[in-house]
Amino acid sequence: MAELSARLRREQENRARRAVTEERVRIARELHDVVAHHMSVIVIQAVLAPVRLRLRPHHRPRRAGHDRRHRQRGHGRDETAAGGLTRGRRRRP
């Protein structure tokens, strides 16, 4: 009976560890998607910036500030999401 109890406890612990690992993988994939999206937006804006500035030079100062705020806001969300990946995790030596 003690053997069965110990085996069931080990199996339960293994299932719990797998569930945590699967959740971390899911979060990492979502974080990757968020970062990829932000990078795509930055690249598109960088490629189109010279064209836009030629067509609308009066937008230059306002637009530069908007882009900086947008990147900072996105970076904060990425850090918040990444914090969830490390919370409760034991550090390896």
Side-chain angles (χ1 to χ4, degrees), residues 21-68:
T21 299
E22 289 171 5
E23 180 67 5
R24 284 186 176 147
V25 167
R26 183 190 65 77
I27 293 169
R29 283 186 182 130
E30 287 183 18
L31 180 60
H32 177 270
D33 290 347
V34 168
V35 170
H37 171 75
H38 284 299
M39 293 306 298
S40 296
V41 169
I42 290 169
V43 168
I44 290 168
Q45 288 176 345
V47 168
L48 294 178
V51 174
R52 183 161 197 241
L53 291 175
R54 261 195 324 271
L55 296 174
R56 298 179 181 180
H58 57 282
H59 282 188
R60 181 178 301 203
R62 183 181 62 82
R63 189 71 198 162
H66 169 76
D67 291 344
R68 185 172 31 260

Side-chain angles (χ1 to χ4, degrees), residues 9-23:
R9 188 174 55 250
R10 282 192 306 271
E11 288 176 7
Q12 187 177 26
E13 289 169 355
N14 286 336
R15 277 194 302 272
R17 274 194 294 274
R18 275 194 305 271
V20 168
T21 299
E22 289 171 5
E23 180 67 5

